[in-house]
Amino acid sequence: MSLIENIIRPDVRALSAYHVGASEGFLKLDAMENPYLLPEALRVELGHRLSEVALNRYPVPSYTALRVALCEKMGVPNGYDVMLGNGSDELISLLTVACARRDLATPATVMAPIPTFVMYSMFAQFSGMNFAGVLLKDDFSLDMPAMLEAIKQHQPAIVFLAYPNNPTGNLFAENDIVEILRTVGDTGIVVVDEAYQPFAQTSFMPRLPEFPNLVVMRTVSKLGLAGVRLGYMSASAELLEQFEKVRPPYNVNVLTQATVEFVLENLSVLDEQAAWLREERGKQAAALSSLAEVEVFPSDANFLLFRVNDAHQVFEKLIERKVLIRNVGKIHSLLNNCLRVNISTPEENHQFLDAFKACVAA
Ligand SMILES: *Cc1c(COP(=O)(O)O)cnc(C)c1O
């Protein structure tokens, strides 16, 4: 046996690494990034602010000022706090670490509707939890009879609901989520992942006091700060107290902390960018819908999911034209021939449309 076979878990050896393709020189519309930078004057001010940060010191692991600012600016209910993560990816990981009980006869279960954000099943596996995926309906709404049956069968410790969902872009019905919260009750937590909240403008955050098993997760990534890596989540004090125990004490670095504190003081700039993107989303959806043989699905996120006759061919032709989107048809048969494209600036959206039209015409 080789060193690798001796030490690495078989299920990890069998994985292929999370692949992010090279994108230099491409019109990059595959990662749901905000295309806008901060205005020049704010960037200069931020530069001064960052030059004052003590890089030689560890962060103060309570991150009090940042937590207070997030609670105040992001509509966290009175009496509720947030826990911080190095992106919400880390928070997803930490939740599975905290809930992967080893005192049970069979592993505890993470449940989610599928297709959805791939990190839920990945981190469930890494933590040794069981993953139960419940297929969405053809219109990407929750299949409630199937969800309720799966809850009964698996008694999931964690249910993840991306709201809006990625890669489908839609919001699940609020009543359905409430029914899931009530059905799960005190046998599990329901994590409403609101990564795309700036584009949906609806939230379960104000409803935290109604549901002791609700966790609301957010990130600043899709809002325009994907590079700084900061996620946060709110839940009851009892839950956060336990989750905090598995958080690496210095998981958020001082530059991220200072940057987000600064940006929160100027949040209207990012809110305005999100409003532009919502407006562009409507225009881009209308433009794509007007093309023959393109089916555009409703979106409350900063991307559009649409179906074409031959997604593989269109995707490859776009690559030849140096346009990078996501071919999500490969993820699940429900998404057969579906492509996902970011909403960007008016210029980039036009560039994409022109390239796309040329690809479907040829
Ligand atoms: C992008 C995304 C995230 C990841 O956010 P980070 O904070 O950048 O780690 C989480 N959930 C969903 C549904 C996403 O699409």
Side-chain angles (χ1 to χ4, degrees):
M1 284 249 264
S2 70
L3 174 64
I4 300 302
E5 284 166 339
N6 280 330
I7 63 165
I8 305 293
R9 285 160 42 174
D11 63 319
V12 171
R13 271 188 277 137
L15 287 173
S16 37
Y18 187 80
H19 183 72
V20 180
S23 59
E24 219 166 273
F26 277 77
L27 173 58
K28 193 173 172 346
L29 300 173
D30 67 326
M32 282 84 94
E33 291 150 339
N34 175 348
Y36 298 106
L37 294 169
L38 292 176
E40 173 77 25
L42 284 186
R43 275 185 281 154
V44 170
E45 209 181 318
L46 174 61
H48 289 308
R49 190 77 79 89
L50 292 181
S51 72
E52 303 289 309
V53 172
L55 299 181
N56 57 323
R57 301 289 178 195
Y58 279 105
V60 177
S62 60
Y63 300 101
T64 307
L66 178 53
R67 283 184 9 246
V68 167
L70 281 167
C71 287
E72 203 179 286
K73 300 277 183 166
M74 296 303 188
V76 177
N78 274 339
Y80 280 74
D81 201 346
V82 291
M83 170 170 156
L84 308 181
N86 195 314
S88 41
D89 284 353
E90 187 187 40
L91 293 173
I92 296 166
S93 169
L94 294 178
L95 285 173
T96 63
V97 167
C99 296
R101 290 180 58 174
R102 300 181 61 177
D103 57 333
L104 303 173
T106 53
T109 293
V110 169
M111 200 178 116
I114 51 170
T116 191
F117 191 50
V118 66
M119 296 297 162
Y120 308 145
S121 58
M122 264 181 58
F123 285 124
Q125 181 192 342
F126 294 168
S127 304
M129 294 181 85
N130 173 45
F131 180 78
V134 178
L135 198 56
L136 290 170
K137 297 205 286 191
D138 285 347
D139 65 355
F140 308 134
S141 63
L142 291 168
D143 183 343
M144 284 305 285
M147 288 293 289
L148 298 180
E149 181 55 38
I151 290 168
K152 213 167 91 187
Q153 186 192 336
H154 296 285
Q155 304 260 307
I158 310 177
V159 179
F160 283 106
L161 298 169
Y163 184 75
N165 189 37
N166 173 13
T168 58
N170 59 309
L171 286 165
F172 299 132
E174 190 170 341
N175 287 343
D176 288 349
I177 296 181
V178 168
E179 195 174 352
I180 290 167
L181 278 157
R182 296 222 165 97
T183 306
V184 170
D186 64 5
T187 64
I189 55 169
V190 176
V191 182
V192 176
D193 178 350
E194 299 188 345
Y196 299 97
Q197 186 272 337
F199 313 101
Q201 296 185 290
T202 179
S203 173
F204 270 77
M205 195 69 93
R207 303 195 67 171
L208 275 168
E210 287 177 61
F211 305 103
N213 61 341
L214 172 61
V215 177
V216 177
M217 183 180 284
R218 300 255 188 95
T219 174
V220 299
S221 292
K222 312 298 163 35
L223 187 60
L225 300 172
V228 310
R229 311 304 301 132
L230 184 80
Y232 57 100
M233 64 181 181
S234 189
S236 72
E238 289 79 5
L239 282 175
L240 287 190
E241 183 190 351
Q242 301 303 322
F243 299 145
E244 275 287 349
K245 295 177 188 173
V246 296
R247 181 177 67 80
Y250 309 117
N251 61 333
V252 175
N253 73 75
V254 289
L255 295 173
T256 293
Q257 180 187 353
T259 302
V260 177
E261 283 176 19
F262 174 79
V263 171
L264 287 173
E265 292 164 21
N266 300 279
L267 191 59
S268 59
V269 172
L270 294 189
D271 286 342
E272 188 181 36
Q273 294 174 352
W276 296 337
L277 292 168
R278 290 195 302 269
E279 198 181 320
E280 278 299 304
R281 176 180 68 201
K283 290 185 194 163
Q284 193 75 330
L288 279 171
S289 300
S290 73
L291 303 175
E293 293 164 3
V294 179
E295 182 187 4
V296 183
F297 296 97
S299 172
D300 283 285
N302 63 343
F303 59 84
L304 291 174
L305 182 80
F306 60 102
R307 182 170 274 139
V308 295
N309 283 337
D310 186 344
H312 177 74
Q313 192 185 52
V314 172
F315 178 78
E316 293 298 330
K317 284 184 176 173
L318 283 168
I319 293 288
E320 284 168 25
R321 288 171 182 269
K322 293 272 177 196
V323 176
L324 185 61
I325 62 172
R326 253 319 262 282
N327 182 3
V328 293
K330 294 182 290 189
I331 298 176
H332 197 279
S333 57
L334 201 63
L335 302 175
N336 213 1
N337 278 323
C338 285
L339 298 166
R340 189 190 69 193
V341 64
N342 253 52
I343 300 299
S344 185
T345 60
E347 297 72 31
E348 291 198 348
N349 292 336
H350 278 126
Q351 272 179 49
F352 166 74
L353 260 186
D354 288 344
F356 177 73
K357 282 181 197 166
C359 291
V360 284

